[in-house]
Amino acid sequence: MGLCMNLAKKIFIGCCALSSAFLINASAAEKYPAVVGKNGWLFYENEFNPLIEERGVNNSIKIIEEFKDKLQTKGISLVLTLVPVKARIYSEYLPDSVKWGKAQDDRYKNWSQQIKNSGIHFVDLNTAFLNTPVRSSETPLFYRLDSHWSPVGVEIAAQTISSNLAAIPEIDQKIKNIPTYSIKRNQAEKPRALRARDLIPLLPPEEAKKDFPLERFKPVTYEKPKISDEKLLGDVSAPSIALVGSSNSMNWTGFADDLRFYLQRDLVNVSVPADQGQWYGMINYLKSEAFQTSPPKILIWEIPERDLYATPNFEFRDARYRLKDADWINTASGAITSAAQPK
């Protein structure tokens, strides 16, 4: 048990290492959370660890199942998706010292089956990422120097989610009843350098000092509908789709806008950084005025695969962002009960 808990601590610290708390609290004996792979690729060291606290995963799925059931009493459909670990999608670039095996390969597949068996609508991004022909292109699905998905990965994820939602009759009907949102997507012809490189500061000092060339992608811009006079006067309902996610869903990634484009529907975007976590982000949204007065008909929950094992009461998360597991579902249930009916 002690081994599992020590490992859980190291995994969580590595995943939240962008916060200053890691830099303050990590002991000198700890491994640096980022490693250099082949061809200049960088990875979180803990993404390829074969041991994971499976009990935490099982508890998380159980809580999400209860949450889904409570949402259904309000007429809200939950859709869950996990952002696959970069280390699996680009395992060929892992350093030779890393032994990538069946346990790591099968983890996403096994967890997704557990989720589906719980009756939760689930979108499998792992298979989509592994099978897309652009995985091996000059513009990969993840940044080489960063933990986040790239504009190319964002688009594949948005396309996959959109097509999966259309294949679920209950959700497809809801989408058809939601007013369209005429957003246009424009991709530049020439690539430009992007400064996504959050893994470099997490390398050993001698590695971090090396020169890492900036990555180049074709930037994407969006043309959104103009705000009408009625909307300016407040005569408009909130979007009927909500996205609650991690830093992969933050506005700078373009993920929310790509979802708007491929769904051709507007949505509310709520995303939180890794140190706060998926449970705190969801509770904050449920308690917000936006949810209480205009709850969505469809709630999309994006969680990084590497975070699924961390339950609401995960002991290595900052106390500000923790709740006992039972308290989380009770708080969520209370917020759902007190909210208005989706329009």
Side-chain angles (χ1 to χ4, degrees):
M1 181 65 178
L3 173 63
C4 289
M5 295 311 295
N6 288 337
L7 176 63
K9 180 177 181 181
K10 288 180 66 179
I11 291 175
F12 183 74
I13 288 176
C15 293
C16 295
L18 301 184
S19 68
S20 59
F22 168 81
L23 300 175
I24 294 171
N25 296 326
S27 69
E30 291 280 359
K31 288 184 179 180
Y32 287 93
V35 298
V36 179
K38 299 172 184 175
N39 295 357
W41 279 75
L42 306 184
F43 297 92
Y44 270 136
E45 187 266 343
N46 287 313
E47 280 194 347
F48 38 81
N49 206 308
L51 299 175
I52 284 290
E53 184 73 32
E54 291 291 342
R55 184 179 63 178
V57 173
N58 295 336
N59 288 346
S60 290
I61 294 174
K62 182 179 178 181
I63 293 169
I64 295 171
E65 180 183 6
E66 290 184 57
F67 178 51
K68 175 262 299 180
D69 291 342
K70 188 63 180 179
L71 287 171
Q72 284 181 336
T73 66
K74 205 73 165 185
I76 302 171
S77 300
L78 177 67
V79 179
L80 178 66
T81 191
L82 301 178
V83 179
V85 293
K86 174 181 172 182
R88 181 185 305 105
I89 304 305
Y90 288 103
S91 59
E92 67 267 35
Y93 296 118
L94 291 172
D96 289 331
S97 58
V98 173
K99 304 304 179 186
W100 186 264
K102 183 174 174 57
Q104 296 100 322
D105 253 347
D106 290 348
R107 185 175 294 152
Y108 194 107
K109 178 178 65 176
N110 293 339
W111 292 356
S112 63
Q113 191 58 55
Q114 283 182 253
I115 293 167
K116 291 175 183 177
N117 289 345
S118 298
I120 301 165
H121 295 309
F122 181 75
V123 178
D124 176 1
L125 296 180
N126 187 68
T127 300
F129 274 32
L130 288 172
N131 292 344
T132 178
V134 300
R135 189 193 74 84
S136 55
S137 70
E138 293 182 357
T139 50
L141 305 174
F142 286 90
Y143 293 107
R144 288 185 300 103
L145 309 178
D146 197 276
S147 61
H148 297 89
W149 46 20
S150 73
V152 179
V154 160
E155 183 176 20
I156 296 298
Q159 289 174 333
T160 304
I161 291 172
S162 177
S163 61
N164 273 256
L165 296 188
I168 303 171
E170 162 204 335
I171 295 178
D172 183 50
Q173 187 59 51
K174 288 185 177 182
I175 292 174
K176 288 177 178 176
N177 291 333
I178 296 172
T180 57
Y181 184 74
S182 301
I183 181 174
K184 295 181 180 179
R185 186 180 192 275
N186 303 310
Q187 188 169 42
E189 293 184 4
K190 295 182 179 180
R192 68 175 177 86
L194 300 180
R195 302 196 66 85
R197 44 178 48 209
D198 67 6
L199 292 175
I200 292 178
L202 309 181
L203 292 169
E206 64 275 11
E207 295 285 356
K209 292 177 182 177
K210 294 181 179 178
D211 181 31
F212 292 94
L214 292 174
E215 301 181 68
R216 301 178 67 84
F217 288 86
K218 294 178 179 179
V220 176
T221 57
Y222 305 88
E223 296 179 43
K224 300 179 182 180
K226 293 182 180 179
I227 300 176
S228 66
D229 292 340
E230 290 80 6
K231 290 184 179 182
L232 287 172
L233 293 171
D235 184 21
V236 64
S237 298
S240 295
I241 302 174
L243 167 66
V244 177
S246 68
S247 55
N248 282 298
S249 293
M250 286 183 171
N251 287 333
W252 71 268
T253 69
F255 178 54
D257 278 333
D258 259 12
L259 266 181
R260 290 184 179 103
F261 173 73
Y262 282 102
L263 292 171
Q264 285 295 291
R265 302 295 189 277
D266 198 7
L267 56 81
V268 174
N269 181 24
V270 181
S271 53
V272 298
D275 62 324
Q276 296 181 21
Q278 64 269 27
W279 307 103
Y280 179 80
M282 181 60 77
I283 284 293
N284 260 7
Y285 172 56
L286 297 177
K287 293 163 66 177
S288 71
E289 183 181 357
F291 182 86
Q292 288 297 304
T293 59
S294 299
K297 296 177 181 177
I298 302 167
L299 177 53
I300 302 171
W301 199 356
E302 172 267 302
I303 301 175
E305 174 191 346
R306 61 176 179 251
D307 285 350
L308 188 62
Y309 80 100
T311 63
N313 196 32
F314 186 60
E315 67 178 293
F316 301 110
R317 197 181 297 284
D318 190 297
R320 294 173 295 170
Y321 308 129
R322 290 170 54 189
L323 273 177
K324 291 181 179 179
D325 294 356
D327 288 345
W328 189 93
I329 194 65
N330 288 336
T331 302
S333 296
I336 294 167
T337 299
S338 63
Q341 282 295 131
K343 298 177 182 179

